[in-house]
Amino acid sequence: MAQSHLLANRSTCARLAVGATIVRDNRIIAGGYNGSIAGGVHCIDEGCYVVDGHCIRTIHAEMNALLQCAKFGVPTQNAEIYVTHFPCLQCCKAIIQAGIKKVYYASDYKNHPYAIELFNSAEVETIKVPYDSIFEESIDDKQTHFIADLLKRLEKKGTSHEEMKSLYENAQALFSRGN
């Protein structure tokens, strides 16, 4: 799942970053992220091309991973796919047709009832695996300590009480776990 989250960082879609990793026999065989066709215009550069609530410019992460297998002749029969978000209906159908038997996903995202029905009828197991990066926690801790140190220095330099109060409140809101 960590590999899929890393791939999502390469996404060129401004609306949602998604990553997918296909695994067969405990080996990674392909990966993908949502973005434009090779050499095409990217959403992060010119905005999303939205029709009926969907960006039609992007190829979904699952599809990119499956297409990578097709391009290089890598079989997907009985493979597993790890995705950062529950697959859309179109990706669900492609996953089933590719012979993938397990879908691991980290986050629910518009889980279409028909996709769930199709997965069930095709005997494709879907397993939610919430993802908590150990790296994000250590980065948050480093950032929190850095900001706390900066605030202490500002206070020692004579920043007004009102301004310090505002800075502390902003820092607290920024680093609260609920955001």
Side-chain angles (χ1 to χ4, degrees), residues 63-109:
M63 232 13 167
N64 265 328
L66 289 169
L67 291 168
Q68 185 179 30
C69 288
K71 186 175 184 176
F72 295 107
V74 179
T76 55
Q77 187 66 37
N78 296 319
E80 302 172 344
I81 190 166
Y82 292 79
V83 191
T84 57
H85 297 77
F86 191 86
C88 74
L89 182 56
Q90 297 306 317
C91 287
C92 158
K93 292 188 278 187
I95 288 166
I96 291 168
Q97 286 300 98
I100 291 175
K101 292 299 178 188
K102 285 187 182 178
V103 176
Y104 296 93
Y105 65 99
S107 300
D108 291 306
Y109 183 73

Side-chain angles (χ1 to χ4, degrees), residues 20-36:
T21 305
I22 300 176
V23 174
R24 191 183 69 242
D25 299 326
N26 295 318
R27 301 284 187 263
I28 294 173
I29 60 172
Y33 54 90
N34 57 329
S36 302

Side-chain angles (χ1 to χ4, degrees), residues 155-175:
E155 197 169 31
K156 285 182 182 177
K157 294 225 180 233
T159 304
S160 74
H161 177 72
E162 292 80 25
E163 189 173 356
M164 286 305 301
K165 182 179 177 194
S166 174
L167 290 170
Y168 273 109
E169 288 171 353
N170 287 338
Q172 190 173 22
L174 183 64
F175 289 101

Side-chain angles (χ1 to χ4, degrees), residues 9-71:
N9 289 321
R10 299 206 55 197
S11 172
T12 61
C13 182
R15 297 176 69 208
L16 182 68
V18 179
T21 305
I22 300 176
V23 174
R24 191 183 69 242
D25 299 326
N26 295 318
R27 301 284 187 263
I28 294 173
I29 60 172
Y33 54 90
N34 57 329
S36 302
I37 61 168
V41 173
H42 296 281
C43 299
I44 57 173
D45 296 326
E46 295 191 18
C48 291
Y49 184 7
V50 179
V51 175
D52 295 329
H54 299 283
C55 180
I56 61 172
R57 178 175 284 139
T58 59
I59 301 170
H60 291 187
E62 302 92 324
M63 232 13 167
N64 265 328
L66 289 169
L67 291 168
Q68 185 179 30
C69 288
K71 186 175 184 176

